[in-house]
Amino acid sequence: MTSKIAVIGFGNIAKAIITPLFDKKILNPKDFYCLVNTKKSLENIRNNYKYNINIFQANSKDSEIIWDCPVKILSVKPQQLKNIIELEKNKNNRNLLVSILAGVSLEKLIKRFPNHKCVRVVTNIPITIGKGSTGIAWGDEISENQKEAVRRLFENTSKINEFPEDLLDIFLALTSSGPAIIALIIEALSDGGLSGGLPKQLSEELVMDMILGTISLIRETNLTTTELKNMVTSPGGTTISALRVLENKSLRSALIEAVVSASNRSKEFR
Ligand SMILES: NC(=O)c1ccc[n+]([C@@H]2O[C@H](COP(=O)([O-])OP(=O)(O)OC[C@H]3O[C@@H](n4cnc5c(N)ncnc54)[C@H](OP(=O)(O)O)[C@@H]3O)[C@@H](O)[C@H]2O)c1
């Protein structure tokens, strides 16, 4: 990656996206410029971040340099967006603005950043360890070279899916909220083991090994989830007894409604 990259808001998720690019030498820290809001964050990153980067505090005179970068990632909280003022005045440059803000629409971005071409990206926290899922919705007039530049930012640390914008909310519900749902399921199943007398830590390890093993089995054998379920459910056995309880407690419906609810909440941010 040769051209300069800027990040507006170098918080948790921005660090998760950018740090692996430094680690893998895809991006040189010298070509990276970022902006934070407070002096405290600026000093914290200067003193503790493992790379020496060009970092500025919002509204300082020096910080205007970030608007010269051809690719900017916008990574503030949605409620902080109102404080970001576009300083790129030259509409002919048509630099790229890649927003990772949950639920903020392309239409809203284009209004706030009229001198940029805008892209909406949804990614998730497993990107931190190179196992993320990233969804991209392109705005208008984005060249193939610019699309490649955006893909390069995410392809080393996540699987990329390109969508029409109206599918990003449900993508976000499944992949960004999903890790919390899975964590809750792991916790609850482990508590089941605990209730049966297993030590907490062992119970959690067993649950995680079982989930990883189940996913690998489905992927490696191309079994459908229904075929796998039928394979381990014998007449009058333990598994059908467990599944009966879950059907009775409407687990399936609760999970469907949880995903739909997260998607609807994302739409409310628009
Ligand atoms: N966390 C996730 O799993 C996840 C996943 C996908 C997408 N997202 C999206 O990613 C975005 C960031 O989330 P996060 O968890 O990384 O938040 P975060 O850790 O709070 O980071 C926000 C960053 O924005 C900076 N900032 C705030 N106001 C600013 C301003 N006026 N000018 C420049 N910088 C400013 C903050 O600086 P200070 O520290 O100085 O305040 C901080 O560096 C959100 O919009 C969220 O929807 C998050």
Side-chain angles (χ1 to χ4, degrees):
M1 212 175 275
T2 47
S3 59
K4 292 177 177 159
I5 305 272
V7 166
I8 303 167
F10 198 51
N12 294 320
I13 198 79
K15 287 192 193 105
I17 293 168
I18 296 296
T19 309
L21 299 178
F22 293 150
D23 291 343
K24 294 182 180 178
K25 306 205 183 313
I26 294 166
L27 177 64
N28 187 329
K30 285 197 185 107
D31 295 326
F32 177 73
Y33 297 78
C34 71
L35 206 55
V36 290
N37 193 33
T38 58
K39 194 163 181 237
K40 191 174 164 207
S41 275
L42 180 120
E43 284 175 355
N44 186 21
I45 293 169
R46 274 210 182 125
N47 294 332
N48 299 314
Y49 188 56
K50 65 176 174 169
Y51 292 101
N52 193 2
I53 52 175
N54 304 296
I55 182 164
F56 307 94
Q57 192 178 351
N59 304 323
S60 64
K61 186 73 190 151
D62 300 351
S63 69
E64 291 180 14
I65 193 170
I66 67 128
W67 294 98
D68 296 336
C69 294
V71 179
K72 299 166 197 79
I73 301 178
L74 180 65
S75 181
V76 296
K77 297 276 192 205
Q79 60 272 26
Q80 296 164 333
L81 177 61
K82 60 180 181 311
N83 303 325
I84 311 296
I85 311 295
E86 183 186 53
L87 294 181
E88 168 67 77
K89 298 286 180 235
N90 186 353
K91 203 176 172 90
N92 295 331
N93 282 353
R94 306 310 313 273
N95 285 332
L96 266 187
L97 185 109
V98 180
S99 165
I100 63 154
L101 273 61
V104 176
S105 67
L106 281 171
E107 191 185 353
K108 196 167 180 178
L109 290 168
I110 290 162
K111 274 194 190 131
R112 281 208 71 88
F113 304 97
N115 297 319
H116 284 76
K117 295 184 195 174
C118 297
V119 181
R120 251 186 87 189
V121 165
V122 170
T123 192
N124 67 354
I125 202 68
I127 199 171
T128 319
I129 54 154
K131 293 187 184 292
S133 293
T134 296
I136 303 179
W138 305 110
D140 293 333
E141 297 172 22
I142 297 178
S143 69
E144 198 43 47
N145 279 349
Q146 288 179 314
K147 287 186 180 179
E148 268 311 303
V150 176
R151 291 183 191 114
R152 274 201 301 277
L153 289 172
F154 297 95
E155 68 191 3
N156 281 281
T157 45
S158 55
K159 275 192 192 166
I160 294 182
N161 298 272
E162 294 174 29
F163 290 113
E165 188 184 12
D166 59 0
L167 289 179
L168 274 193
D169 298 301
I170 193 70
F171 177 82
L172 177 144
L174 268 185
T175 62
S176 275
S177 305
I181 297 173
I182 296 301
L184 186 134
I185 290 173
I186 293 170
E187 201 177 70
L189 289 174
S190 305
D191 281 349
L194 193 67
S195 306
L198 288 173
K200 173 87 183 156
Q201 203 180 340
L202 174 62
S203 190
E204 210 166 274
E205 281 298 320
L206 292 174
V207 170
M208 290 194 287
D209 287 345
M210 175 276 292
I211 291 175
L212 282 173
T214 306
I215 292 167
S216 300
L217 180 68
I218 290 172
R219 287 205 157 141
E220 285 169 29
T221 59
N222 289 326
L223 280 173
T224 66
T225 47
T226 307
E227 283 165 345
L228 174 63
K229 191 187 88 182
N230 291 343
M231 261 170 71
V232 295
T233 310
S234 41
T238 54
T239 307
I240 190 60
S241 172
L243 293 179
R244 206 177 130 191
V245 172
L246 296 179
E247 293 294 359
N248 198 16
K249 303 275 183 196
S250 304
L251 177 82
R252 191 192 295 257
S253 166
L255 290 174
I256 294 169
E257 293 308 319
V259 173
V260 172
S261 173
S263 174
N264 289 342
R265 183 77 184 116
S266 168
K267 286 181 188 145
E268 284 170 18
F269 287 127
R270 283 184 191 171

